[in-house]
Amino acid sequence: MVIFDTIKKRIKGFVKRDEMLNEYTSIRIGGPADILVIPDNVEDFKWLIGFVRKREVRYFIMGNGTNLIFSDKGFRGVVIKTNRCFNEMKIFDDRIFAMSGIDLLKLILKSVENGLSSLEPLIGIPGTVGGAIWMNAGAFGKEVKDCIEKVYFIDRYGEEKEAEMNFSYRKSPFNRGDIITGALFTFEKKDRLEIMKEMEEVKRRREENQPLGFASAGSVFKNPANGYAGEIIDRLGMKRMSIGDAEVSAKHGNFIINRRDATCHDVKRLIEKIRDRVKKEEGVELELEVEFVKEK
Ligand SMILES: Cc1cc2nc3c(=O)[nH]c(=O)nc-3n(C[C@H](O)[C@H](O)[C@H](O)COP(=O)(O)OP(=O)(O)OC[C@H]3O[C@@H](n4cnc5c(N)ncnc54)[C@H](O)[C@@H]3O)c2cc1C
């Protein structure tokens, strides 16, 4: 109560109690957050982080919620969205500095507009720059790390830092508690029409292969070392398998869609079923790419 009132009084932006998180995730799953805050500016964001850390209030940073599945019971603590405060972008010749709350799409369009090539294979990833860096998002042979020169972040002790980082497949070196504030991206100069042609091809392939009209959190599993999770799931005949309203997409075996009222519990059970079958029949341990966020 005191925590909510203090935040509400101090922060410019959206501050709400018991806000349903299914409204903020692409898979449309998640119960109420004790408090959801969307600060309007960086100064208020920093104050908020200092405040929750000092008071030892549990918090979670989110971008667009396109890789997340919150608990059906919601989140005990404060969920903080970055998109309104970390929203600046600047171009310097063949480099772009983008803050973490910006949509990756916006960064890609800015680069293309300026004849800068690199990130176009990632068109269609619906996350923010921060979310993409956090998990080193990638598609069609390209990863975000391939064009990052430097990342700016606040570490879990509150210190502002910038660093060149080592990333790996769907993994950044950040620790829970680190907050990515922005990054400097480098590009290659290229003919705009050529970049746009490649982007159109990527969009076409996504539309052809992914269930884009349905609520989902993208690929559920990371691809194992020698193959594609979606292909294995398809081969084992698990497309369309469902629990409650959670269903393995008929279009892409590595997507679980929320037909309407799927719960986190449904998705978890479906995932366990898939993992067990894949382990038993193919001897492969599928690792999660989507992230489940615990209630407490
Ligand atoms: C239809 C669809 C297609 C997709 N296709 C792809 C694809 O091709 N390739 C791919 O890699 N992914 C894909 N995804 C998954 C998802 O879009 C990406 O992982 C994206 O990068 C997540 O960004 P986000 O802003 O939504 O992050 P969120 O889902 O909000 O958060 C993800 C993680 O990042 C952390 N995080 C976010 N911002 C910050 C920050 N500023 N500082 C610290 N931590 C932060 C969160 O705490 C959380 O741990 C797809 C998803 C959908 C729904």
Side-chain angles (χ1 to χ4, degrees):
M1 191 69 171
V2 178
I3 301 279
F4 175 80
D5 289 341
T6 311
I7 295 175
K8 178 96 185 149
K9 222 181 265 171
R10 174 62 176 75
I11 290 278
K12 277 196 205 74
F14 181 95
V15 183
K16 223 164 161 203
R17 215 184 266 150
D18 297 328
E19 185 73 347
M20 290 299 285
L21 291 166
N22 60 356
E23 299 283 333
Y24 297 88
T25 56
S26 56
I27 195 165
R28 304 263 163 241
I29 287 176
D34 284 345
I35 304 174
L36 175 75
V37 187
I38 314 178
D40 276 350
N41 59 65
V42 174
E43 194 207 331
D44 283 4
F45 177 92
K46 286 184 180 166
W47 174 85
L48 179 61
I49 292 300
F51 176 73
V52 289
R53 282 178 174 168
K54 199 161 153 203
R55 294 290 188 102
E56 296 184 349
V57 176
R58 183 169 173 249
Y59 68 94
F60 187 83
I61 305 290
M62 70 181 284
N64 284 345
T66 61
N67 198 48
L68 296 177
I69 306 182
F70 283 102
S71 159
D72 299 315
K73 291 186 178 152
F75 184 87
R76 303 290 69 81
V78 183
V79 174
I80 306 167
K81 257 176 85 64
T82 56
N83 53 313
R84 281 202 206 163
C85 54
F86 291 112
N87 63 359
E88 276 174 31
M89 204 162 31
K90 272 191 200 129
I91 183 155
F92 309 93
D93 192 29
D94 61 350
R95 291 180 167 85
I96 299 178
F97 167 76
M99 285 185 132
S100 58
I102 286 186
D103 283 348
L104 189 63
L105 171 68
K106 217 171 148 189
L107 168 61
I108 297 173
L109 293 180
K110 183 85 175 170
S111 64
V112 177
E113 198 185 298
N114 288 279
L116 298 175
S117 162
S118 184
L119 283 175
E120 53 278 9
L122 307 193
I123 192 95
I125 297 181
T128 57
V129 165
I133 295 173
W134 178 267
M135 58 99 66
N136 186 23
F140 304 107
K142 182 69 117 193
E143 293 173 309
V144 160
K145 75 167 172 60
D146 298 334
C147 76
I148 286 183
E149 187 170 310
K150 234 192 251 179
V151 182
Y152 300 83
F153 64 104
I154 303 171
D155 74 10
R156 69 195 118 144
Y157 308 107
E159 207 176 310
E160 293 191 34
K161 292 186 167 167
E162 52 178 82
E164 291 165 25
M165 320 284 307
N166 289 318
F167 294 82
S168 49
Y169 173 59
R170 298 295 179 271
K171 199 171 177 340
S172 72
F174 293 102
N175 298 301
R176 186 56 61 205
D178 292 338
I179 297 162
I180 299 158
T181 55
L184 187 63
F185 294 86
T186 51
F187 299 86
E188 192 190 317
K189 289 189 179 167
K190 211 167 161 183
D191 179 59
R192 242 192 309 167
L193 285 179
E194 222 180 288
I195 309 175
M196 277 160 74
K197 227 164 100 188
E198 195 188 333
M199 240 167 46
E200 286 310 314
E201 175 58 14
V202 169
K203 277 200 222 162
R204 191 194 60 74
R205 285 172 70 182
R206 274 190 189 272
E207 273 158 25
E208 200 172 275
N209 299 317
Q210 298 182 358
L212 299 183
F214 292 88
S216 83
S219 293
V220 175
F221 303 105
K222 294 182 184 177
N223 287 322
N226 300 315
Y228 293 97
E231 272 179 23
I232 300 176
I233 291 164
D234 190 11
R235 192 162 62 237
L236 296 179
M238 289 189 280
K239 276 182 169 174
R240 291 186 192 278
M241 190 166 81
S242 64
I243 290 184
D245 261 352
E247 179 181 292
V248 178
S249 161
K251 212 167 177 184
H252 194 307
N254 202 12
F255 277 62
I256 289 180
I257 58 166
N258 176 0
R259 283 192 305 222
R260 193 186 146 102
D261 295 320
T263 61
C264 172
H265 187 59
D266 295 334
V267 176
K268 274 189 172 161
R269 282 169 57 216
L270 190 54
I271 285 176
E272 280 322 306
K273 223 169 146 180
I274 296 168
R275 270 177 145 172
D276 286 351
R277 272 278 294 285
V278 171
K279 174 83 177 102
K280 208 165 124 201
E281 298 192 26
E282 304 260 335
V284 173
E285 300 258 14
L286 287 180
E287 229 185 283
L288 282 184
E289 181 163 319
V290 292
E291 184 181 334
F292 284 93
V293 186
K294 289 193 176 132
E295 181 208 355
K296 51 188 171 191

